[in-house]
Amino acid sequence: MVLLWGHVVAIPIYAVYKGNSLGHAWVETAPVLMAALLAGYVRMSRALQASIAAGGLMICSGVMVHLSEGLIEAHFHFFVMIPVIALYEAWAPFTLGVVYVLVHHGVMGTAAPREVYNHPAAWERPWLFAAVHAGFFACASIACVVNWWLHERARGAALAQTQLLGTIVDSLREGLVVLDPQGGIRLRNPAAVALMGGADNEARGLGPDDGFGLFHPDGTAVAVHELPHVQALAGDRTSDVDLVVRNAAVPEGRVLNFSAVPLPSPDGGGTREVVVVYRDVTEQHQTEQALTAALATEQEAVERLRELERVKSDFVSTVSHELRTPLTSIIGYLEVLEDGAVGDLGKAQVTLVDRVNRNSRRLLVLVEDLLTLSQIESSRLTINAVPTDLRDVVSTAFDAVAWTLENRSLEVVVDVPDDPVRQEVDPAELERMLVNLLTNAVKFTPDGGRIALRLAGDDLGSTLVVTDTGLGIPDAEQGQLFTRFFRSSIATERAVQGTGLGLTIVQAIVALHGGSIDVESSTDRGTTVTVRLPRRAHGADLAEAPVADREVSLAGS
C-alpha cells in the first residue's frame, strides 16, 4: 500500500516532467488513486484487497510506459512489481497481473503503439510482443508463486511442528523452563508454574529473588551459585538435584528434582540458553524418609533381639552349668547306693533308687542339650577331629543308650564292618549324635518293633543309618524336624517325653563334619535317618558353622 500511494504522488510529477499538462497527469493518476482508496479504506477480504492493490501496481507500470512513450526500460517496471505482488502471497494478484500485461500491451499496442513500444517491429505486431511480454511476466510470476508455495509449505510444516511441540511440552507432568543467558524465563509450560505452587506467575527467573522459595531438603536456603540453572549457565550440566519449594502457595513444602542442561550457541561462543526440567518427588522423598526411619527402628529392634538372645544364651549356659555339677554328683551317689557300698538295699529301695537314677540321667541329658544349643546359637560349638575307628563310636553310643532298652521288648540290630572304618572325626560329638538318634528311635518305637544301626565305609567317606519301625512323622511336619524345640503332633498326642532339641543338635554336629543328613519317614511305618560323613582332603579344615549353615534332605516314604 505504501508503494501504491507513492506512485499516486510520483506519477503526476513524472507526467509534468515529461511535458504533459497537469490535467493529463491527474487523468493518468486517477485509476491508481482509485485502486489505492479501494484497497486501503474499503472493508473487503484479503484476497480482493490484494487483487485491487496488484491491479493498481500494474496500472502504475502501464502509466509509466505511456508517459515514457514506450521506453523499453520502462517495461522493467512491470517486473519490478512482481516481487512486490509476491508479498501478498495470493494467486489472484499474479493472475490479474499476467492478464493485465497481455491486454494492456495488446490493446494499447494496437491503439497507440508508439505509447507502448519504441521498436518498429512491435508497432507492426503489437499482440505478438504483448504475448512475449505477458509470457515473461507469467514465467517470473510462476517462479514467485512456486517460491511462495514452497515457503507456505515450509511455514505450515514448521507451524505444525511448533504446535505439536507446544502440545507435548504443555502436556508434560514435569515442569520445563527455558532461560536466556541472563537467567530470564523465555518459555515455561503450565506444569512448571503449577509445581512451583502457581505463585509469581510473572516471575522473570528462578533465582532467590523471584518469590519461589528454594531450600535444601535439610531446610537451609539455596545459595545463588548452587542453583542448577546458574551452574548450567556456567557450562556445567546438572542432574538429580533435590530442592524444596516453600512459599505462600506451598506452605508445607514440595520436593522437586531438578536437572539443567546448557544449550551451546550456534557460533560456539558459549552458552546461549538453558533448559531446566523438574518433577515432583515429594511422595518418593517421604517414602524414603519413612523407609529410613523404619530401617533404623528395625535395626534397633534387631539389636535388642540380639541382646536378648545373648542374655538368654548366657542365662541358659549359666543355669545348665550350675545344674550339671550337682546332677553329676547325684548320679554318682546313686550308683554308690546301687552297688551296695553303704549297705544292701531292699527291693523297694532299689526300685526307688532306680527311678531317681533314670530321672537324673534324663535331666542330665536335658542340661547337656541346653548347653550344646547355647554353643550352637552363639557359633561356639566346634569339633576336635582325630583319626577314629567309627566302630568304636558306634559301640560306645550303643552302650550309652543300653539302659533305655531295659524293660523294653524291642529287636535291636547293630551292623558294623569287620574291618576298621577309620576317619577323622570328633568321637565325642559323633557319639552324642548317635545317642540322640538312637534315643529317638527307642522312644518312638512301640514294644515289638525293630531298631537297626548300620555303619558302612568306602573311599568317599562313611555312612551311618539308624532305622526304626516306630510311629513315624507326618509328611506335613517333616519340614520342621530340625527346628529347635519342635515336637511332632504324634509325640504330643502320645505324651512321648522329649525337649525337641535332639535333631537340632544332630544337624549341627553333621554340618560341622561337612556331612549331610537325610530323613525318610511315614506315619506308623517308621523312620530312617541317614548320615553321610565325607573324608576331608589332606590338610583341609572341618567346618565350624552355626545351625543355619547345613545341608538337610527330607523325604517321605
Side-chain angles (χ1 to χ4, degrees):
M1 291 300 300
V2 174
L3 185 61
L4 190 59
W5 281 105
H7 279 83
V8 170
V9 176
I11 287 174
I13 296 174
Y14 183 67
V16 172
Y17 171 76
K18 294 296 289 185
N20 296 289
S21 64
L22 188 60
H24 182 268
W26 281 114
V27 170
E28 294 282 0
T29 308
V32 179
L33 178 60
M34 185 63 67
L37 292 173
L38 287 175
Y41 297 99
V42 178
R43 290 187 177 182
M44 61 186 72
S45 65
R46 184 177 184 278
L48 182 59
Q49 182 187 39
S51 298
I52 293 175
L57 292 175
M58 290 297 99
I59 293 173
C60 291
S61 298
V63 171
M64 296 299 289
V65 170
H66 297 163
L67 295 176
S68 65
E69 298 178 349
L71 184 66
I72 191 64
E73 287 80 3
H75 288 80
F76 287 106
H77 193 280
F78 285 99
F79 295 97
V80 172
M81 293 299 105
I82 292 176
V84 177
I85 296 174
L87 296 176
Y88 287 104
E89 297 182 346
W91 293 86
F94 288 110
T95 304
L96 181 62
V98 173
V99 172
Y100 181 86
V101 170
L102 178 63
V103 174
H104 173 268
H105 282 48
V107 174
M108 293 302 296
T110 301
R114 294 181 182 276
E115 293 186 7
V116 179
Y117 304 109
N118 64 351
H119 194 277
W123 299 340
E124 297 176 1
R125 298 178 180 180
W127 282 101
L128 175 61
F129 276 79
V132 172
H133 283 207
F136 281 122
F137 192 90
C139 290
S141 298
I142 290 172
C144 288
V145 168
V146 170
N147 177 71
W148 163 67
W149 177 69
L150 292 176
H151 174 71
E152 279 295 303
R153 286 191 60 185
R155 186 171 65 176
L159 180 61
Q161 189 72 16
T162 301
Q163 291 175 342
L164 175 62
L165 182 60
T167 302
I168 293 174
V169 170
D170 288 345
S171 63
L172 290 176
R173 298 178 61 184
E174 293 80 6
L176 187 146
V177 180
V178 179
L179 302 172
D180 59 28
Q182 288 72 43
I185 295 177
R186 295 193 58 181
L187 170 69
R188 61 178 168 180
N189 63 349
V193 177
L195 289 175
M196 288 291 189
D200 229 346
N201 192 28
E202 301 301 323
R204 296 182 179 181
L206 296 177
D209 299 329
D210 293 302
F212 294 117
L214 294 175
F215 301 88
H216 288 294
D218 60 4
T220 59
V222 180
V224 174
H225 69 276
E226 295 176 321
L227 292 171
H229 72 276
V230 173
Q231 297 179 25
L233 286 171
D236 297 328
R237 180 171 182 165
T238 60
S239 60
D240 293 331
V241 177
D242 288 344
L243 298 177
V244 178
V245 175
R246 185 178 293 109
N247 50 51
V250 194
E252 71 283 358
R254 176 179 293 148
V255 183
L256 301 180
N257 180 267
F258 284 81
S259 295
V261 180
L263 298 178
S265 60
D267 57 2
T271 301
R272 179 180 61 183
E273 295 172 337
V274 169
V275 176
V276 180
V277 178
Y278 47 90
R279 56 191 178 92
D280 189 351
V281 294
T282 304
E283 184 175 350
Q284 177 182 342
H285 193 265
Q286 292 173 345
T287 302
E288 289 177 354
Q289 288 181 328
L291 287 175
T292 301
L295 180 60
T297 303
E298 182 179 355
Q299 288 176 340
E300 183 179 354
V302 169
E303 290 300 323
R304 290 181 178 178
L305 287 175
R306 286 177 178 172
E307 180 64 19
L308 288 175
E309 190 72 16
R310 185 189 63 79
V311 171
K312 184 205 72 174
S313 297
D314 291 345
F315 173 77
V316 170
S317 178
T318 301
V319 171
S320 299
H321 275 292
E322 293 298 325
L323 289 175
R324 183 168 58 176
T325 301
L327 279 174
T328 303
S329 178
I330 290 171
I331 293 172
Y333 283 118
L334 288 173
E335 291 176 350
V336 171
L337 290 174
E338 287 179 337
D339 293 340
V342 293
D344 295 333
L345 300 177
K347 185 176 180 179
Q349 293 172 326
V350 170
T351 301
L352 291 175
V353 170
D354 180 65
R355 288 182 179 179
V356 174
N357 189 23
R358 287 175 182 272
N359 287 311
S360 297
R361 289 181 181 275
R362 185 178 296 116
L363 186 57
L364 182 61
V365 170
L366 174 59
V367 170
E368 293 289 348
D369 285 348
L370 288 174
L371 280 172
T372 304
L373 178 64
S374 176
Q375 292 175 337
I376 292 172
E377 291 180 339
S378 61
S379 301
R380 295 197 304 265
L381 180 63
T382 60
I383 60 174
N384 180 26
V386 295
T388 305
D389 186 353
L390 296 186
R391 296 182 305 171
D392 296 337
V393 177
V394 170
S395 176
T396 305
F398 185 78
D399 291 341
V401 298
W403 65 274
T404 63
L405 295 171
E406 297 175 1
N407 302 322
R408 294 295 306 276
S409 178
L410 295 172
E411 178 187 357
V412 180
V413 177
V414 179
D415 181 12
V416 295
D418 295 332
D419 297 327
V421 181
R422 297 191 179 279
Q423 192 166 333
E424 287 194 20
V425 297
D426 186 326
E429 296 298 335
L430 208 59
E431 177 188 337
R432 183 198 299 250
M433 177 196 76
L434 286 175
V435 167
N436 277 325
L437 293 178
L438 290 170
T439 301
N440 282 345
V442 172
K443 287 191 299 183
F444 289 98
T445 303
D447 288 341
R450 182 177 184 272
I451 297 174
L453 170 58
R454 182 172 60 87
L455 169 65
D458 54 29
D459 293 339
L460 298 178
S462 56
T463 303
L464 293 161
V465 182
V466 178
T467 306
D468 66 63
T469 58
L471 302 178
I473 306 164
D475 292 343
E477 299 177 4
Q478 292 184 20
Q480 306 176 65
L481 281 180
F482 297 97
T483 303
R484 60 182 181 176
F485 302 112
F486 169 75
R487 305 194 69 218
S488 69
S489 57
I490 293 177
T492 303
E493 291 170 0
R494 304 199 182 186
V496 179
Q497 294 181 344
T499 61
L501 294 176
L503 288 180
T504 301
I505 295 172
V506 167
Q507 186 184 41
I509 293 172
V510 172
L512 288 172
H513 282 84
S516 63
I517 180 170
D518 299 334
V519 179
E520 296 181 7
S521 184
S522 181
T523 306
D524 296 327
R525 295 183 59 184
T527 301
T528 298
V529 180
T530 303
V531 176
R532 296 181 177 84
L533 302 175
R535 295 186 186 278
R536 61 172 179 156
H538 181 70
D541 292 331
L542 289 175
E544 297 183 5
V547 178
D549 302 328
R550 64 230 174 175
E551 179 183 353
V552 183
S553 173
L554 301 175
S557 59

